[in-house]
Amino acid sequence: MAGASVSVASRVLYEDNHLIAVNKLPGELVQGDKTGDVTLADAVRDYLKVKYGKPGNVYLGIPHRLDRPTSGVVLYCRTEKALGRMNEMFRGSDVSKVYWAVVDALPQNTEGTLVHYIFRDTRTNKSVARPVETVGSKFAKLDYRIIGASRNYHLLEIVLHTGRHHQIRAQLAAIGLHIKGDLKYGAARSNPDGGIHLHARSISFPHPVKKEDVVTVIARPPHDAVWDVFAE
């Protein structure tokens, strides 16, 4: 697992009795899949078990996910009460999700809204964004704006309004933009670590238990030559 040697303790972004947010590295699994690889959730459970001296199993709920090659904020729930309420918020419009994407070309406009219908091909584990609704497709919407540029790449800030399978990757590909390293959606070459330059920059939401509090969690991108330029 990429980044397995980087301790979770150094990547905790927010923690209280009900929630813990961690900065995920490219290549890490948010939760288990058919590969059987060690997951970020496993590492977070181990961290909590050691820090609080908990015997036996440590409860950890998973209200949302990030694609394996993507980095950034992942939120886990430490109580069932928090998980139930966070599940409701992620299904609704109570969670604000901001991403950064490094792409190989400029969009037609410096900012705008993309609306598509996403069709997921389970055979290839790939999604296609189409301009019109088709059988089995789901409505997808995001806002974007250009916030940076280097010699070879451009940095987009993206606000998600829906949470579809590979949504950002598919919608950007549909308008001719390719995320650095994302071979599956048309990038020219892969990244050395197998990740892609798509980063869950921040999430904001009302605290699921202390509802008067709004929690905002921000994650720095991974360290590499391209991200370091934009992160500055």
Side-chain angles (χ1 to χ4, degrees):
M1 179 179 66
S5 62
V6 181
S7 74
V8 165
S10 67
R11 295 187 281 138
V12 173
L13 303 170
Y14 177 89
E15 182 181 352
D16 66 16
N17 291 335
H18 300 279
L19 304 169
I20 182 168
V22 179
N23 195 354
K24 175 189 174 302
L25 298 170
E28 288 183 314
L29 281 168
V30 171
Q31 67 176 111
D33 68 1
K34 62 184 179 183
T35 66
D37 290 348
V38 175
T39 71
L40 182 57
D42 295 328
V44 172
R45 288 190 187 95
D46 289 344
Y47 160 80
L48 293 171
K49 187 170 185 175
V50 171
K51 181 175 180 179
Y52 297 104
K54 289 180 173 290
N57 295 327
V58 173
Y59 179 84
L60 199 69
I62 304 173
H64 75 130
R65 290 135 182 91
L66 293 181
D67 298 339
R68 185 167 190 169
T70 303
S71 59
V73 181
V74 174
L75 183 72
Y76 293 104
C77 296
R78 297 183 57 196
T79 62
E80 291 186 14
K81 177 188 287 188
L83 178 63
R85 292 176 179 174
M86 287 308 309
N87 281 337
E88 291 178 11
M89 285 193 272
F90 273 105
R91 282 193 294 266
S93 57
D94 295 317
V95 181
S96 174
K97 294 171 281 185
V98 177
Y99 286 74
W100 282 1
V102 176
V103 295
D104 59 357
L106 282 170
Q108 186 174 3
N109 301 307
T110 57
E111 61 182 82
T113 299
L114 300 183
V115 174
H116 291 96
Y117 291 88
I118 297 279
F119 177 80
R120 179 180 182 180
D121 185 337
T122 55
R123 182 178 55 85
T124 60
N125 192 36
K126 185 176 178 179
S127 290
V128 178
R130 297 167 175 157
V132 295
E133 188 173 9
T134 57
V135 175
S137 65
K138 294 182 178 180
F139 177 77
K141 180 181 177 182
L142 62 78
D143 297 329
Y144 72 86
R145 66 187 182 103
I146 302 168
I147 61 170
S150 66
R151 179 178 298 179
N152 299 312
Y153 299 104
H154 308 277
L155 179 63
L156 303 184
E157 183 175 80
I158 295 163
V159 177
L160 273 185
H161 296 289
T162 52
R164 307 307 182 199
H165 178 260
H166 292 181
Q167 179 180 334
I168 295 173
R169 301 162 71 183
Q171 286 197 272
L172 292 183
I175 62 168
L177 305 184
H178 310 107
I179 296 170
K180 184 180 182 303
D182 198 358
L183 289 178
K184 178 170 278 192
Y185 287 91
R189 61 186 64 86
S190 62
N191 289 337
D193 64 1
I196 63 176
H197 277 66
L198 178 62
H199 180 72
R201 173 62 171 168
S202 69
I203 57 173
S204 297
F205 52 90
H207 194 282
V209 179
K210 300 176 287 186
K211 295 185 179 181
E212 70 279 4
D213 294 341
V214 174
V215 178
T216 298
V217 185
I218 300 173
R220 190 200 187 282
H223 285 288
D224 68 29
V226 174
W227 276 129
D228 287 348
V229 169
F230 289 124
E232 292 300 321

